[in-house]
mmCIF file of all heavy atoms in Angstrom:
data_model
loop_
_atom_site.group_PDB
_atom_site.id
_atom_site.type_symbol
_atom_site.label_atom_id
_atom_site.label_comp_id
_atom_site.label_asym_id
_atom_site.label_seq_id
_atom_site.Cartn_x
_atom_site.Cartn_y
_atom_site.Cartn_z
ATOM 1 N N VAL A 4 -2.241 -6.188 3.913
ATOM 2 C CA VAL A 4 -1.159 -7.130 4.249
ATOM 3 C C VAL A 4 -1.570 -7.844 5.482
ATOM 4 O O VAL A 4 -2.017 -7.224 6.453
ATOM 5 C CB VAL A 4 0.214 -6.411 4.397
ATOM 6 C CG1 VAL A 4 0.154 -5.278 5.476
ATOM 7 C CG2 VAL A 4 1.308 -7.438 4.731
ATOM 8 N N LEU A 5 -1.445 -9.163 5.508
ATOM 9 C CA LEU A 5 -1.787 -9.948 6.678
ATOM 10 C C LEU A 5 -0.540 -10.146 7.538
ATOM 11 O O LEU A 5 0.601 -9.890 7.107
ATOM 12 C CB LEU A 5 -2.328 -11.320 6.199
ATOM 13 C CG LEU A 5 -3.538 -11.217 5.318
ATOM 14 C CD1 LEU A 5 -3.996 -12.641 4.968
ATOM 15 C CD2 LEU A 5 -4.665 -10.465 5.945
ATOM 16 N N SER A 6 -0.748 -10.619 8.726
ATOM 17 C CA SER A 6 0.363 -10.905 9.633
ATOM 18 C C SER A 6 1.328 -11.952 9.037
ATOM 19 O O SER A 6 2.483 -11.985 9.423
ATOM 20 C CB SER A 6 -0.173 -11.380 10.979
ATOM 21 O OG SER A 6 -0.991 -12.476 10.830
ATOM 22 N N THR A 7 0.842 -12.769 8.156
ATOM 23 C CA THR A 7 1.639 -13.796 7.465
ATOM 24 C C THR A 7 2.527 -13.180 6.464
ATOM 25 O O THR A 7 3.448 -13.877 5.906
ATOM 26 C CB THR A 7 0.767 -14.827 6.748
ATOM 27 O OG1 THR A 7 -0.046 -14.188 5.823
ATOM 28 C CG2 THR A 7 -0.080 -15.526 7.784
ATOM 29 N N GLY A 8 2.268 -11.927 6.101
ATOM 30 C CA GLY A 8 3.037 -11.272 5.011
ATOM 31 C C GLY A 8 2.333 -11.321 3.700
ATOM 32 O O GLY A 8 2.712 -10.673 2.667
ATOM 33 N N SER A 9 1.201 -12.040 3.622
ATOM 34 C CA SER A 9 0.424 -12.142 2.393
ATOM 35 C C SER A 9 -0.139 -10.811 2.038
ATOM 36 O O SER A 9 -0.605 -10.043 2.880
ATOM 37 C CB SER A 9 -0.707 -13.128 2.585
ATOM 38 O OG SER A 9 -1.573 -13.140 1.472
ATOM 39 N N THR A 10 -0.091 -10.401 0.769
ATOM 40 C CA THR A 10 -0.557 -9.150 0.329
ATOM 41 C C THR A 10 -1.593 -9.325 -0.854
ATOM 42 O O THR A 10 -1.622 -10.298 -1.500
ATOM 43 C CB THR A 10 0.567 -8.182 -0.209
ATOM 44 O OG1 THR A 10 1.273 -8.935 -1.279
ATOM 45 C CG2 THR A 10 1.565 -7.953 0.873
ATOM 46 N N ASN A 11 -2.389 -8.267 -0.930
ATOM 47 C CA ASN A 11 -3.411 -8.258 -2.051
ATOM 48 C C ASN A 11 -3.694 -6.763 -2.400
ATOM 49 O O ASN A 11 -3.589 -5.935 -1.528
ATOM 50 C CB ASN A 11 -4.743 -8.941 -1.671
ATOM 51 C CG ASN A 11 -5.521 -9.353 -2.891
ATOM 52 O OD1 ASN A 11 -5.057 -9.280 -3.993
ATOM 53 N ND2 ASN A 11 -6.778 -9.679 -2.634
ATOM 54 N N TYR A 12 -4.047 -6.533 -3.658
ATOM 55 C CA TYR A 12 -4.197 -5.180 -4.138
ATOM 56 C C TYR A 12 -5.451 -5.007 -4.980
ATOM 57 O O TYR A 12 -5.842 -5.978 -5.588
ATOM 58 C CB TYR A 12 -2.970 -4.823 -4.928
ATOM 59 C CG TYR A 12 -1.687 -4.876 -4.221
ATOM 60 C CD1 TYR A 12 -0.924 -6.048 -4.224
ATOM 61 C CD2 TYR A 12 -1.136 -3.768 -3.551
ATOM 62 C CE1 TYR A 12 0.259 -6.186 -3.522
ATOM 63 C CE2 TYR A 12 0.064 -3.848 -2.828
ATOM 64 C CZ TYR A 12 0.753 -5.151 -2.848
ATOM 65 O OH TYR A 12 1.964 -5.188 -2.165
ATOM 66 N N ALA A 13 -5.940 -3.853 -4.933
ATOM 67 C CA ALA A 13 -7.025 -3.463 -5.842
ATOM 68 C C ALA A 13 -6.423 -3.578 -7.289
ATOM 69 O O ALA A 13 -5.252 -3.238 -7.508
ATOM 70 C CB ALA A 13 -7.548 -2.112 -5.571
ATOM 71 N N ASP A 14 -7.293 -3.945 -8.206
ATOM 72 C CA ASP A 14 -6.807 -4.025 -9.615
ATOM 73 C C ASP A 14 -6.190 -2.756 -10.113
ATOM 74 O O ASP A 14 -5.252 -2.803 -10.917
ATOM 75 C CB ASP A 14 -7.971 -4.490 -10.527
ATOM 76 C CG ASP A 14 -8.416 -5.891 -10.323
ATOM 77 O OD1 ASP A 14 -7.608 -6.672 -9.719
ATOM 78 O OD2 ASP A 14 -9.489 -6.250 -10.738
ATOM 79 N N SER A 15 -6.730 -1.634 -9.656
ATOM 80 C CA SER A 15 -6.230 -0.361 -10.200
ATOM 81 C C SER A 15 -4.825 0.019 -9.815
ATOM 82 O O SER A 15 -4.194 0.825 -10.488
ATOM 83 C CB SER A 15 -7.170 0.745 -9.720
ATOM 84 O OG SER A 15 -7.239 0.826 -8.285
ATOM 85 N N VAL A 16 -4.263 -0.655 -8.759
ATOM 86 C CA VAL A 16 -2.896 -0.372 -8.378
ATOM 87 C C VAL A 16 -1.981 -1.533 -8.400
ATOM 88 O O VAL A 16 -0.791 -1.438 -8.145
ATOM 89 C CB VAL A 16 -2.919 0.168 -6.854
ATOM 90 C CG1 VAL A 16 -3.857 1.368 -6.686
ATOM 91 C CG2 VAL A 16 -3.251 -0.920 -5.879
ATOM 92 N N LYS A 17 -2.499 -2.697 -8.801
ATOM 93 C CA LYS A 17 -1.741 -3.939 -8.876
ATOM 94 C C LYS A 17 -0.488 -3.773 -9.783
ATOM 95 O O LYS A 17 -0.621 -3.263 -10.872
ATOM 96 C CB LYS A 17 -2.589 -5.103 -9.313
ATOM 97 C CG LYS A 17 -2.100 -6.458 -8.965
ATOM 98 C CD LYS A 17 -3.117 -7.551 -9.211
ATOM 99 C CE LYS A 17 -4.284 -7.422 -8.255
ATOM 100 N NZ LYS A 17 -5.299 -8.457 -8.474
ATOM 101 N N GLY A 18 0.621 -4.143 -9.310
ATOM 102 C CA GLY A 18 1.815 -4.043 -10.061
ATOM 103 C C GLY A 18 2.557 -2.705 -9.901
ATOM 104 O O GLY A 18 3.672 -2.526 -10.379
ATOM 105 N N ARG A 19 1.910 -1.690 -9.317
ATOM 106 C CA ARG A 19 2.519 -0.362 -9.083
ATOM 107 C C ARG A 19 2.711 -0.067 -7.598
ATOM 108 O O ARG A 19 3.690 0.648 -7.280
ATOM 109 C CB ARG A 19 1.604 0.668 -9.663
ATOM 110 C CG ARG A 19 1.382 0.538 -11.165
ATOM 111 C CD ARG A 19 0.618 1.745 -11.719
ATOM 112 N NE ARG A 19 -0.685 1.892 -11.229
ATOM 113 C CZ ARG A 19 -1.157 2.955 -10.497
ATOM 114 N NH1 ARG A 19 -0.286 3.974 -10.362
ATOM 115 N NH2 ARG A 19 -2.318 3.009 -10.081
ATOM 116 N N PHE A 20 1.839 -0.598 -6.769
ATOM 117 C CA PHE A 20 1.946 -0.301 -5.316
ATOM 118 C C PHE A 20 2.439 -1.548 -4.555
ATOM 119 O O PHE A 20 2.157 -2.681 -4.910
ATOM 120 C CB PHE A 20 0.601 0.160 -4.763
ATOM 121 C CG PHE A 20 0.085 1.473 -5.199
ATOM 122 C CD1 PHE A 20 0.668 2.191 -6.254
ATOM 123 C CD2 PHE A 20 -1.031 2.034 -4.572
ATOM 124 C CE1 PHE A 20 0.228 3.424 -6.655
ATOM 125 C CE2 PHE A 20 -1.491 3.270 -4.951
ATOM 126 C CZ PHE A 20 -0.923 3.944 -5.995
ATOM 127 N N THR A 21 3.117 -1.294 -3.442
ATOM 128 C CA THR A 21 3.597 -2.423 -2.594
ATOM 129 C C THR A 21 3.300 -1.987 -1.127
ATOM 130 O O THR A 21 3.787 -0.982 -0.677
ATOM 131 C CB THR A 21 5.107 -2.611 -2.785
ATOM 132 O OG1 THR A 21 5.363 -2.994 -4.175
ATOM 133 C CG2 THR A 21 5.472 -3.810 -1.876
ATOM 134 N N ILE A 22 2.601 -2.873 -0.471
ATOM 135 C CA ILE A 22 2.239 -2.647 0.914
ATOM 136 C C ILE A 22 3.179 -3.490 1.740
ATOM 137 O O ILE A 22 3.567 -4.635 1.463
ATOM 138 C CB ILE A 22 0.743 -2.974 1.249
ATOM 139 C CG1 ILE A 22 0.373 -2.590 2.676
ATOM 140 C CG2 ILE A 22 0.474 -4.455 0.946
ATOM 141 C CD1 ILE A 22 -1.161 -2.752 2.970
ATOM 142 N N SER A 23 3.603 -2.949 2.974
ATOM 143 C CA SER A 23 4.336 -3.698 3.887
ATOM 144 C C SER A 23 4.088 -3.216 5.231
ATOM 145 O O SER A 23 3.531 -2.137 5.459
ATOM 146 C CB SER A 23 5.854 -3.594 3.492
ATOM 147 O OG SER A 23 6.324 -2.204 3.641
ATOM 148 N N ARG A 24 4.544 -4.016 6.253
ATOM 149 C CA ARG A 24 4.292 -3.672 7.651
ATOM 150 C C ARG A 24 5.533 -3.939 8.480
ATOM 151 O O ARG A 24 6.275 -4.943 8.163
ATOM 152 C CB ARG A 24 3.092 -4.399 8.239
ATOM 153 C CG ARG A 24 3.233 -5.814 8.185
ATOM 154 C CD ARG A 24 1.856 -6.565 8.463
ATOM 155 N NE ARG A 24 1.401 -6.423 9.908
ATOM 156 C CZ ARG A 24 0.298 -6.884 10.349
ATOM 157 N NH1 ARG A 24 -0.638 -7.350 9.538
ATOM 158 N NH2 ARG A 24 0.007 -6.755 11.620
ATOM 159 N N ASP A 25 5.775 -3.149 9.473
ATOM 160 C CA ASP A 25 6.884 -3.366 10.460
ATOM 161 C C ASP A 25 6.233 -3.489 11.847
ATOM 162 O O ASP A 25 5.889 -2.450 12.418
ATOM 163 C CB ASP A 25 7.881 -2.225 10.395
ATOM 164 C CG ASP A 25 9.086 -2.458 11.218
ATOM 165 O OD1 ASP A 25 8.965 -3.156 12.271
ATOM 166 O OD2 ASP A 25 10.202 -1.980 10.851
ATOM 167 N N ASN A 26 6.131 -4.734 12.249
ATOM 168 C CA ASN A 26 5.433 -4.945 13.565
ATOM 169 C C ASN A 26 6.238 -4.463 14.777
ATOM 170 O O ASN A 26 5.721 -4.322 15.885
ATOM 171 C CB ASN A 26 5.106 -6.440 13.728
ATOM 172 C CG ASN A 26 4.022 -6.861 12.694
ATOM 173 O OD1 ASN A 26 3.173 -6.085 12.299
ATOM 174 N ND2 ASN A 26 4.053 -8.203 12.369
ATOM 175 N N VAL A 27 7.513 -4.231 14.560
ATOM 176 C CA VAL A 27 8.401 -3.745 15.649
ATOM 177 C C VAL A 27 8.194 -2.190 15.779
ATOM 178 O O VAL A 27 8.048 -1.675 16.877
ATOM 179 C CB VAL A 27 9.885 -4.030 15.361
ATOM 180 C CG1 VAL A 27 10.719 -3.363 16.476
ATOM 181 C CG2 VAL A 27 10.099 -5.519 15.373
ATOM 182 N N LYS A 28 8.113 -1.551 14.620
ATOM 183 C CA LYS A 28 7.945 -0.103 14.643
ATOM 184 C C LYS A 28 6.419 0.263 14.637
ATOM 185 O O LYS A 28 6.076 1.530 14.658
ATOM 186 C CB LYS A 28 8.604 0.523 13.425
ATOM 187 C CG LYS A 28 10.082 0.354 13.405
ATOM 188 C CD LYS A 28 10.754 1.115 12.203
ATOM 189 C CE LYS A 28 12.222 1.043 12.278
ATOM 190 N NZ LYS A 28 12.830 1.683 10.991
ATOM 191 N N ASN A 29 5.555 -0.706 14.548
ATOM 192 C CA ASN A 29 4.151 -0.467 14.504
ATOM 193 C C ASN A 29 3.730 0.455 13.395
ATOM 194 O O ASN A 29 3.009 1.416 13.580
ATOM 195 C CB ASN A 29 3.554 0.006 15.890
ATOM 196 C CG ASN A 29 3.821 -0.938 16.946
ATOM 197 O OD1 ASN A 29 3.584 -2.137 16.852
ATOM 198 N ND2 ASN A 29 4.340 -0.417 18.128
ATOM 199 N N THR A 30 4.330 0.185 12.279
ATOM 200 C CA THR A 30 4.158 1.106 11.105
ATOM 201 C C THR A 30 3.809 0.295 9.857
ATOM 202 O O THR A 30 4.373 -0.766 9.648
ATOM 203 C CB THR A 30 5.439 1.933 10.821
ATOM 204 O OG1 THR A 30 5.793 2.636 12.028
ATOM 205 C CG2 THR A 30 5.200 2.883 9.701
ATOM 206 N N LEU A 31 2.836 0.847 9.088
ATOM 207 C CA LEU A 31 2.429 0.330 7.828
ATOM 208 C C LEU A 31 2.977 1.212 6.724
ATOM 209 O O LEU A 31 2.990 2.475 6.901
ATOM 210 C CB LEU A 31 0.911 0.300 7.793
ATOM 211 C CG LEU A 31 0.189 -0.373 6.604
ATOM 212 C CD1 LEU A 31 0.412 -1.876 6.614
ATOM 213 C CD2 LEU A 31 -1.247 -0.052 6.641
ATOM 214 N N TYR A 32 3.348 0.661 5.621
ATOM 215 C CA TYR A 32 3.917 1.430 4.562
ATOM 216 C C TYR A 32 3.137 1.073 3.217
ATOM 217 O O TYR A 32 2.533 0.046 3.080
ATOM 218 C CB TYR A 32 5.377 1.096 4.287
ATOM 219 C CG TYR A 32 6.277 1.335 5.470
ATOM 220 C CD1 TYR A 32 6.618 0.267 6.327
ATOM 221 C CD2 TYR A 32 6.749 2.602 5.779
ATOM 222 C CE1 TYR A 32 7.400 0.471 7.398
ATOM 223 C CE2 TYR A 32 7.531 2.773 6.909
ATOM 224 C CZ TYR A 32 7.890 1.744 7.705
ATOM 225 O OH TYR A 32 8.691 1.938 8.812
ATOM 226 N N LEU A 33 3.234 2.118 2.299
ATOM 227 C CA LEU A 33 2.733 1.904 0.991
ATOM 228 C C LEU A 33 3.670 2.569 0.018
ATOM 229 O O LEU A 33 3.750 3.824 -0.035
ATOM 230 C CB LEU A 33 1.302 2.487 0.796
ATOM 231 C CG LEU A 33 0.615 2.211 -0.496
ATOM 232 C CD1 LEU A 33 0.303 0.685 -0.630
ATOM 233 C CD2 LEU A 33 -0.706 3.003 -0.677
ATOM 234 N N GLN A 34 4.404 1.745 -0.746
ATOM 235 C CA GLN A 34 5.321 2.209 -1.812
ATOM 236 C C GLN A 34 4.491 2.366 -3.026
ATOM 237 O O GLN A 34 3.895 1.347 -3.513
ATOM 238 C CB GLN A 34 6.406 1.193 -1.956
ATOM 239 C CG GLN A 34 7.324 1.599 -3.196
ATOM 240 C CD GLN A 34 8.145 2.889 -3.024
ATOM 241 O OE1 GLN A 34 8.630 3.118 -1.868
ATOM 242 N NE2 GLN A 34 8.167 3.717 -3.984
ATOM 243 N N MET A 35 4.394 3.556 -3.580
ATOM 244 C CA MET A 35 3.608 3.812 -4.780
ATOM 245 C C MET A 35 4.577 4.238 -5.878
ATOM 246 O O MET A 35 5.200 5.289 -5.831
ATOM 247 C CB MET A 35 2.606 4.933 -4.463
ATOM 248 C CG MET A 35 1.715 4.684 -3.238
ATOM 249 S SD MET A 35 0.401 5.840 -3.078
ATOM 250 C CE MET A 35 1.316 7.242 -2.748
ATOM 251 N N ASN A 36 4.533 3.448 -7.006
ATOM 252 C CA ASN A 36 5.417 3.759 -8.123
ATOM 253 C C ASN A 36 4.456 4.057 -9.374
ATOM 254 O O ASN A 36 3.322 3.638 -9.335
ATOM 255 C CB ASN A 36 6.284 2.529 -8.459
ATOM 256 C CG ASN A 36 7.317 2.277 -7.368
ATOM 257 O OD1 ASN A 36 7.728 3.198 -6.679
ATOM 258 N ND2 ASN A 36 7.650 1.038 -7.184
ATOM 259 N N SER A 37 5.056 4.642 -10.354
ATOM 260 C CA SER A 37 4.318 4.896 -11.565
ATOM 261 C C SER A 37 2.975 5.526 -11.270
ATOM 262 O O SER A 37 1.927 5.116 -11.864
ATOM 263 C CB SER A 37 4.137 3.553 -12.412
ATOM 264 O OG SER A 37 5.418 3.030 -12.642
ATOM 265 N N LEU A 38 3.001 6.575 -10.489
ATOM 266 C CA LEU A 38 1.793 7.214 -10.087
ATOM 267 C C LEU A 38 1.025 7.821 -11.278
ATOM 268 O O LEU A 38 1.656 8.339 -12.204
ATOM 269 C CB LEU A 38 1.999 8.243 -9.043
ATOM 270 C CG LEU A 38 2.274 7.673 -7.628
ATOM 271 C CD1 LEU A 38 2.948 8.648 -6.672
ATOM 272 C CD2 LEU A 38 0.944 7.170 -7.031
ATOM 273 N N LYS A 39 -0.303 7.800 -11.221
ATOM 274 C CA LYS A 39 -1.167 8.305 -12.275
ATOM 275 C C LYS A 39 -2.078 9.409 -11.612
ATOM 276 O O LYS A 39 -2.325 9.356 -10.429
ATOM 277 C CB LYS A 39 -2.013 7.178 -12.795
ATOM 278 C CG LYS A 39 -1.278 6.026 -13.399
ATOM 279 C CD LYS A 39 -2.244 4.884 -13.825
ATOM 280 C CE LYS A 39 -1.466 3.715 -14.359
ATOM 281 N NZ LYS A 39 -2.410 2.644 -14.805
ATOM 282 N N PRO A 40 -2.575 10.298 -12.442
ATOM 283 C CA PRO A 40 -3.514 11.345 -11.953
ATOM 284 C C PRO A 40 -4.687 10.744 -11.180
ATOM 285 O O PRO A 40 -5.192 11.294 -10.232
ATOM 286 C CB PRO A 40 -3.890 12.036 -13.164
ATOM 287 C CG PRO A 40 -2.729 11.910 -14.193
ATOM 288 C CD PRO A 40 -2.238 10.500 -13.882
ATOM 289 N N GLU A 41 -5.129 9.555 -11.682
ATOM 290 C CA GLU A 41 -6.261 8.891 -10.976
ATOM 291 C C GLU A 41 -5.982 8.352 -9.589
ATOM 292 O O GLU A 41 -6.868 7.871 -8.892
ATOM 293 C CB GLU A 41 -6.867 7.836 -11.816
ATOM 294 C CG GLU A 41 -5.915 6.843 -12.398
ATOM 295 C CD GLU A 41 -5.462 7.177 -13.747
ATOM 296 O OE1 GLU A 41 -5.201 8.357 -14.125
ATOM 297 O OE2 GLU A 41 -5.380 6.273 -14.678
ATOM 298 N N ASP A 42 -4.655 8.378 -9.215
ATOM 299 C CA ASP A 42 -4.280 7.975 -7.868
ATOM 300 C C ASP A 42 -4.446 9.132 -6.848
ATOM 301 O O ASP A 42 -4.273 8.990 -5.705
ATOM 302 C CB ASP A 42 -2.814 7.489 -7.853
ATOM 303 C CG ASP A 42 -2.627 6.297 -8.654
ATOM 304 O OD1 ASP A 42 -3.471 5.348 -8.578
ATOM 305 O OD2 ASP A 42 -1.548 6.192 -9.323
ATOM 306 N N THR A 43 -4.776 10.324 -7.392
ATOM 307 C CA THR A 43 -4.931 11.473 -6.505
ATOM 308 C C THR A 43 -6.156 11.225 -5.541
ATOM 309 O O THR A 43 -7.251 10.843 -5.959
ATOM 310 C CB THR A 43 -5.240 12.727 -7.324
ATOM 311 O OG1 THR A 43 -4.134 12.982 -8.150
ATOM 312 C CG2 THR A 43 -5.610 13.878 -6.494
ATOM 313 N N ALA A 44 -5.820 11.311 -4.266
ATOM 314 C CA ALA A 44 -6.760 11.041 -3.208
ATOM 315 C C ALA A 44 -6.092 11.348 -1.834
ATOM 316 O O ALA A 44 -4.937 11.617 -1.773
ATOM 317 C CB ALA A 44 -7.273 9.613 -3.264
ATOM 318 N N VAL A 45 -6.991 11.266 -0.828
ATOM 319 C CA VAL A 45 -6.480 11.266 0.557
ATOM 320 C C VAL A 45 -6.351 9.721 0.934
ATOM 321 O O VAL A 45 -7.347 9.004 0.791
ATOM 322 C CB VAL A 45 -7.456 12.007 1.532
ATOM 323 C CG1 VAL A 45 -6.862 11.852 2.937
ATOM 324 C CG2 VAL A 45 -7.566 13.455 1.081
ATOM 325 N N TYR A 46 -5.221 9.421 1.388
ATOM 326 C CA TYR A 46 -4.883 8.018 1.703
ATOM 327 C C TYR A 46 -4.965 7.794 3.256
ATOM 328 O O TYR A 46 -4.410 8.555 4.035
ATOM 329 C CB TYR A 46 -3.519 7.565 1.236
ATOM 330 C CG TYR A 46 -3.542 7.353 -0.313
ATOM 331 C CD1 TYR A 46 -3.622 8.403 -1.199
ATOM 332 C CD2 TYR A 46 -3.459 6.042 -0.825
ATOM 333 C CE1 TYR A 46 -3.702 8.262 -2.537
ATOM 334 C CE2 TYR A 46 -3.497 5.907 -2.207
ATOM 335 C CZ TYR A 46 -3.653 6.982 -3.028
ATOM 336 O OH TYR A 46 -3.624 6.766 -4.395
ATOM 337 N N TYR A 47 -5.596 6.699 3.587
ATOM 338 C CA TYR A 47 -5.756 6.270 5.031
ATOM 339 C C TYR A 47 -5.287 4.895 5.315
ATOM 340 O O TYR A 47 -5.332 4.111 4.357
ATOM 341 C CB TYR A 47 -7.250 6.430 5.446
ATOM 342 C CG TYR A 47 -7.920 7.740 5.197
ATOM 343 C CD1 TYR A 47 -8.481 8.045 3.984
ATOM 344 C CD2 TYR A 47 -8.046 8.644 6.288
ATOM 345 C CE1 TYR A 47 -9.150 9.311 3.768
ATOM 346 C CE2 TYR A 47 -8.686 9.900 6.081
ATOM 347 C CZ TYR A 47 -9.242 10.191 4.771
ATOM 348 O OH TYR A 47 -9.846 11.391 4.600
ATOM 349 N N CYS A 48 -5.037 4.563 6.498
ATOM 350 C CA CYS A 48 -4.747 3.208 6.896
ATOM 351 C C CYS A 48 -5.711 2.779 7.974
ATOM 352 O O CYS A 48 -6.341 3.642 8.677
ATOM 353 C CB CYS A 48 -3.314 3.006 7.388
ATOM 354 S SG CYS A 48 -2.943 3.927 8.890
ATOM 355 N N ASN A 49 -5.929 1.503 8.067
ATOM 356 C CA ASN A 49 -6.809 1.001 9.123
ATOM 357 C C ASN A 49 -6.651 -0.537 9.123
ATOM 358 O O ASN A 49 -5.867 -1.089 8.289
ATOM 359 C CB ASN A 49 -8.226 1.349 8.900
ATOM 360 C CG ASN A 49 -9.009 1.524 10.206
ATOM 361 O OD1 ASN A 49 -8.977 0.693 11.090
ATOM 362 N ND2 ASN A 49 -9.693 2.626 10.376
#
């Protein structure tokens, strides 16, 4: 997610995941829906 609010996703999660940011709380979010076994992983932000 860019500071403009523009978002982009890997093809494997497009339509299921939503990224957002709260610049006041200094927090990044990832809403993950319709999870699949292949989504199993350790998730990091940067």
